[in-house]
Amino acid sequence: MKLSFVFATAISSFFVSLTTGFSFSGQAQALTFSGISSATWGNPTPGITDTNPIYTGVGSNTFTWGQANSSLGLPNKLTSNGTSFSADINSVFKIADLTYFNGKVRTDSSVEFVPLNLNVSFSPPVGTSQVFDFNLRLVNTFNDPKDPEKSADLVFLDTNLINRSFTFGSNKYTLELTGFNPDSRQISIKALEEATTTTAIYAKIKTIPEPTSVLGLSLLGIYLISRKNSWKINTGNRYILSFVQKLNRNAT
């Protein structure tokens, strides 16, 4: 069997797969995802210095953490509410609302991470429900009475856990949290001491490329390289033959 025939067969298969892939891709790009979301909080993870973590609200949409410094004080609090949505592929949309209250608490009573579980119910034609687990990092700073900005605490989206996948039909998708701003990748918010920040969490749905298309592109690259090398070899052989013939003519 000739090598060129093997590559020709591979390329032929590649174009069949690629055409099919484009067909599925076109269907995916035309799909609009709509539905409704709800949110609950999971079990938090204390930090190294959080020797006495205190928290409430696991399994609900309101999570508190930390022991207040005074009898009249309040702990830190996060409240997340779901929302309805409708979005095309690669379009940024609001997936949940978030309210953050920064209380004055003892530093050893905090936690460092808390899971955010988004239950997303897709409307037809998708028509399925799935829980997407994400993570928020809670940064509790030391208070400075002279500088309110330094006393502000922060909430970060854990960038290691901002993508979650799901399947519809024969296509795979990711639900990616893009941040707290629809126009830029803002992955943190802050709140001054004993103040509240209200924001929203935004997301994007993207298509995961089919593995067959990736393999096909690899085969195409190998084929084109082999054709280029073959052309170089043939050209070199013709040059050597011409040079030898010229030497023979000169010798006679």
Side-chain angles (χ1 to χ4, degrees):
M1 181 182 292
K2 293 183 178 180
L3 189 61
S4 59
F5 176 75
V6 173
F7 278 118
T9 303
I11 294 301
S12 177
S13 300
F14 157 69
F15 280 115
V16 171
S17 300
L18 188 61
T19 302
T20 304
F22 280 144
S23 176
F24 284 129
S25 176
Q27 294 174 10
Q29 294 297 330
L31 186 62
T32 297
F33 290 91
S34 61
I36 190 169
S37 67
S38 60
T40 58
W41 301 101
N43 287 299
T45 302
I48 296 176
T49 61
D50 302 325
T51 56
N52 183 36
I54 296 174
Y55 54 87
T56 66
V58 174
S60 72
N61 73 321
T62 299
F63 177 76
T64 70
W65 71 100
Q67 182 177 357
N69 281 332
S70 67
S71 59
L72 298 178
L74 296 173
N76 300 309
K77 183 169 68 173
L78 280 171
T79 302
S80 183
N81 292 306
T83 184
S84 59
F85 63 88
S86 180
D88 298 329
I89 292 289
N90 295 320
S91 297
V92 175
F93 63 96
K94 184 172 75 170
I95 192 69
D97 290 302
L98 187 70
T99 302
Y100 172 39
F101 172 76
N102 179 11
K104 291 183 177 180
V105 301
R106 288 172 38 190
T107 56
D108 63 338
S109 63
S110 295
V111 296
E112 187 173 4
F113 291 95
V114 61
L116 174 62
N117 307 316
L118 288 177
N119 188 345
V120 180
S121 297
F122 291 104
S123 302
V126 180
T128 60
S129 296
Q130 185 168 329
V131 177
F132 299 90
D133 299 323
F134 300 102
N135 222 15
L136 298 184
R137 183 185 175 212
L138 313 174
V139 177
N140 302 286
T141 61
F142 289 100
N143 295 334
D144 184 352
K146 298 180 180 179
D147 192 339
E149 286 292 331
K150 286 186 178 180
S151 301
D153 291 348
L154 300 100
V155 174
F156 285 83
L157 283 177
D158 185 356
T159 54
N160 293 318
L161 293 175
I162 60 172
N163 293 332
R164 286 293 181 262
S165 63
F166 66 99
T167 302
F168 169 60
S170 58
N171 292 319
K172 290 186 177 181
Y173 305 88
T174 59
L175 177 67
E176 174 190 352
L177 297 189
T178 59
F180 301 106
N181 189 318
D183 302 317
S184 64
R185 194 170 178 79
Q186 178 189 340
I187 63 170
S188 67
I189 57 172
K190 68 178 180 179
L192 300 178
E193 285 298 309
E194 298 186 304
T196 299
T197 294
T198 300
T199 185
I201 301 175
Y202 295 90
K204 179 189 294 186
I205 295 176
K206 300 190 296 187
T207 307
I208 299 176
E210 288 291 334
T212 52
S213 298
V214 176
L215 176 61
L217 290 174
S218 299
L219 288 173
L220 179 59
I222 294 171
Y223 174 75
L224 292 176
I225 291 172
S226 68
R227 292 287 294 177
K228 181 179 180 181
N229 291 339
S230 176
W231 179 84
K232 287 181 178 179
I233 292 171
N234 291 335
T235 301
N237 289 341
R238 287 195 298 269
Y239 176 80
I240 292 171
L241 179 60
S242 175
F243 181 73
V244 171
Q245 290 174 345
K246 183 176 181 180
L247 286 176
N248 288 336
R249 286 196 299 270
N250 291 337
T252 57

